[in-house]
Amino acid sequence: MKFLYGLILFILIWWIFSIIIDSQLILPTPISVGRVFIDLAQTKTLWSSLLSTVLKGIIALIITIILGFFFGFLMGIFDVLYELFRPAFTIFQSVPVISWLVLVIFVWGIGFKGPIVISVLSLLPNTTFAIAQGVKNTDKKLIEMAYVYNVPKKRIVKDIYIGSVIPFLFTALEVISGNIWKVIIVSEYLAGNEGIGVQIAWARQYVNVPKVYALTIFAILLGISSERLIKFIIKRKEFYYAS
């Protein structure tokens, strides 16, 4: 209920500022944006673009988790690899999205691959460092005891290392779910051929500001929905591991 009150307050403030500014090119009213939102929701173009954005996001998420787990696990176990790869991932983490965009456009041009590659490159460092930290935080005494009792290495990796990494993997998933759509949509805007970002670019091209706002609302709903879904899955998994 508090969320609903907060939403009503936000719309009221938006309405007041739109009346004060009195310019559809800067801040259209909630009613004009709402009408465009409803019209867009009834078009195939919107849902096709939304599907394209979601597909890119899912692919980027899977690739990021796989690569992040692989590199993070190795960096967590072997200190030499951690010191060797850490500078590269730190640099990747500091590179702005716009720089990746320029590189990707030069290599692949405008298309489907660009936003996926940019998202993976932007989100991979955080995931890798989270996994590496999880491995490094594994109880060393527990590992030593496992070796003393001749526990097979496969079981040590599966039951001790991976068990220690799971909470950090969940944290990485929460961080990714909050950022991936921002990166995907910005990448589509400048280097995509289909998706919500491309639709926003076309709306800007035709100076259709209410449509830009309406598409932005769709993007926000996508981000909130995916974040809630991932948090729900994480809670279920945490309950499973706790039991």
Side-chain angles (χ1 to χ4, degrees), residues 76-127:
I77 292 178
F78 303 107
D79 291 335
V80 174
L81 291 180
Y82 185 85
E83 295 301 327
L84 186 64
F85 288 132
R86 187 168 62 90
F89 281 107
T90 302
I91 292 170
F92 280 9
Q93 197 173 26
S94 303
V95 174
V97 174
I98 191 69
S99 299
W100 290 129
L101 277 164
V102 173
L103 177 63
V104 165
I105 290 172
F106 284 154
V107 176
W108 286 288
I110 305 297
F112 187 85
K113 293 180 183 177
I116 296 174
V117 174
I118 292 164
S119 299
V120 171
L121 291 172
S122 299
L123 300 173
L124 181 59
N126 286 333
T127 308

Side-chain angles (χ1 to χ4, degrees), residues 82-214:
Y82 185 85
E83 295 301 327
L84 186 64
F85 288 132
R86 187 168 62 90
F89 281 107
T90 302
I91 292 170
F92 280 9
Q93 197 173 26
S94 303
V95 174
V97 174
I98 191 69
S99 299
W100 290 129
L101 277 164
V102 173
L103 177 63
V104 165
I105 290 172
F106 284 154
V107 176
W108 286 288
I110 305 297
F112 187 85
K113 293 180 183 177
I116 296 174
V117 174
I118 292 164
S119 299
V120 171
L121 291 172
S122 299
L123 300 173
L124 181 59
N126 286 333
T127 308
T128 302
F129 286 134
I131 300 297
Q133 195 62 37
V135 175
K136 284 183 175 295
N137 280 1
T138 304
D139 191 341
K140 299 297 188 293
K141 291 182 179 179
L142 191 61
I143 297 171
E144 288 174 6
M145 187 172 66
Y147 279 119
V148 168
Y149 285 96
N150 294 321
V151 177
K153 288 185 178 180
K154 287 183 179 180
R155 287 201 60 186
I156 292 174
V157 171
K158 179 184 175 183
D159 297 334
I160 299 178
Y161 279 115
I162 293 181
S164 179
V165 162
I166 284 171
F168 291 86
L169 179 60
F170 288 162
T171 302
L173 271 172
E174 287 194 62
V175 172
I176 291 173
S177 67
N179 293 317
I180 192 166
W181 305 115
K182 297 176 186 177
V183 180
I184 286 283
I185 291 171
V186 169
S187 303
E188 286 178 340
Y189 184 89
L190 295 170
N193 60 348
E194 190 179 3
I196 293 295
V198 175
Q199 291 299 314
I200 291 174
W202 279 110
R204 180 199 64 83
Q205 190 76 18
Y206 289 105
V207 200
N208 191 341
V209 180
K211 188 174 181 179
V212 171
Y213 277 77

